[in-house]
Amino acid sequence: MLVTGKGGVGKTTVAAALGLVAARAGKRTVVCEVAEQERLAAMFGTSDIGHSELELAPGLFAVSVDPERAKEEWLGYQLRSSTLAGVLGGNRVFQYLTAAAPGLTELVTIGKVWDLAQLERRTGGSVFDLAIVDAPATGHALAILRAPQTFAAVARAGPIARQAERIDAFLHDSAATGVLVTALPEEMPVNETVDFERGLRDELQMKVDAIVVNALHPARFSAADARALDSLDGRGGPSARAALRAALSEHARARAERAQLRRLRRAVSAPVSTLPRIFEPELGRDELEQLSAELERRL
Ligand SMILES: Nc1ncnc2c1ncn2[C@@H]1O[C@H](COP(=O)(O)OP(=O)(O)OP(=O)(O)O)[C@@H](O)[C@H]1O
Ligand SMILES: [Mg+2]
């Protein structure tokens, strides 16, 4: 399951909450961070997550995919019996391949993730039922998803092409791979979500399985309440007026968010669910548990 979305909308948060849902359901789950973010460890209050798996909660593991390490592992596996490896040596082979075909870093990144999702692990780690990828933002996510196809086409034959084809087939198998997009109920994230769904469909013939609109503010007032508040405008002392203004502006935001949510629902084919805004400066384990309970109800 790939979790993507515009920068800062809550991809890591949603990936972690989803991981808790799956682990509670008895699935051995791994959340993979790519692009060296190391945000998960902070959320769970543990030490830094390395390239190998760390247990965050019962049945929930995390791994941070380091592209350099992934390249080395990939080479080690790929070139076990290759004469090219013998002639050039590992690093030079990689330089040679990188020069021959751009996007190799993307390929080994998705390759590592794919590897985590396989039952028969080639690199010899433990076995998972579900791999959740805290993927990069939507633009880069498309590049990563495109990499295996590009590579298979460039390499045409041989072990690299075969592996790229296997990864591509895995990504395109909707029973094996899901795509979840996270958004905020705001103009730009909504646009990016709509564009991503279209790009995924048009370029890769893949679909978005679910959209989670994160951090929706509560709608505390009905339209009638708001009219009543509005009619009080200008009355009362300064502090009453300030409270009134705050309530009205909160109401305006909640309405604007719901308008964006409606716009999103009209523009996409994937089902859209929401997660509430949590009023804490930093989300920790308890808040993630709370969001995961919400997700479980809504997904
Ligand atoms: N539902 C929520 N309520 C309140 N705060 C939230 C919520 N979801 C996420 N946040 C906070 O918003 C910030 C961004 O969240 P997160 O790191 O998950 O986003 P991201 O999409 O992974 O960002 P990046 O693109 O930088 O990787 C964090 O500080 C997180 O704690
Ligand atoms: Mg993140």
Side-chain angles (χ1 to χ4, degrees), residues 45-115:
T46 61
S47 61
D48 279 2
I49 295 160
H51 195 66
S52 51
E53 299 106 42
L54 176 80
E55 189 160 14
L56 294 175
L60 180 63
F61 298 79
V63 59
S64 179
V65 175
D66 168 356
E68 286 305 314
R69 286 281 301 278
K71 277 183 200 174
E72 282 163 26
E73 280 182 10
W74 181 82
L75 265 184
Y77 172 73
Q78 204 58 257
L79 302 176
R80 266 178 319 188
S81 59
S82 157
T83 47
L84 195 61
V87 175
L88 291 177
N91 266 329
R92 302 236 339 258
V93 176
F94 202 81
Q95 281 161 14
Y96 165 83
L97 291 172
T98 308
L104 190 56
T105 305
E106 280 77 14
L107 180 71
V108 296
T109 304
I110 195 74
K112 169 76 184 177
V113 166
W114 171 76
D115 179 56

Side-chain angles (χ1 to χ4, degrees), residues 207-247:
K207 69 175 175 55
V208 171
D209 295 278
I211 296 169
V212 173
V213 172
N214 184 32
L216 189 73
H217 285 81
R220 298 189 208 272
F221 308 111
S222 67
D225 289 342
R227 273 195 303 276
L229 287 172
D230 218 11
S231 70
L232 293 175
D233 200 16
R235 288 189 225 167
S239 59
R241 283 208 299 276
L244 198 59
R245 271 200 304 278

Side-chain angles (χ1 to χ4, degrees), residues 74 78 107 110-111 114 118 145-173:
W74 181 82
Q78 204 58 257
L107 180 71
I110 195 74
W114 171 76
Q118 300 310 299
L145 290 170
R146 211 185 287 121
Q149 223 172 59
T150 312
F151 249 82
V154 170
R156 267 187 246 137
I160 294 173
R162 273 202 303 281
Q163 196 205 14
E165 274 161 15
R166 289 225 307 276
I167 297 174
D168 192 52
F170 184 78
L171 293 175
H172 277 84
D173 175 359

Side-chain angles (χ1 to χ4, degrees), residues 6-13 37 39 43 134 214-215 276-278 282-283 291:
K6 190 177 176 350
V9 299
K11 295 181 291 296
T12 304
T13 305
Q37 310 176 59
R39 292 253 326 136
M43 287 184 187
D134 179 9
N214 184 32
R277 158 98 199 184
I278 293 190
E282 273 302 319
L283 302 192
L291 288 174

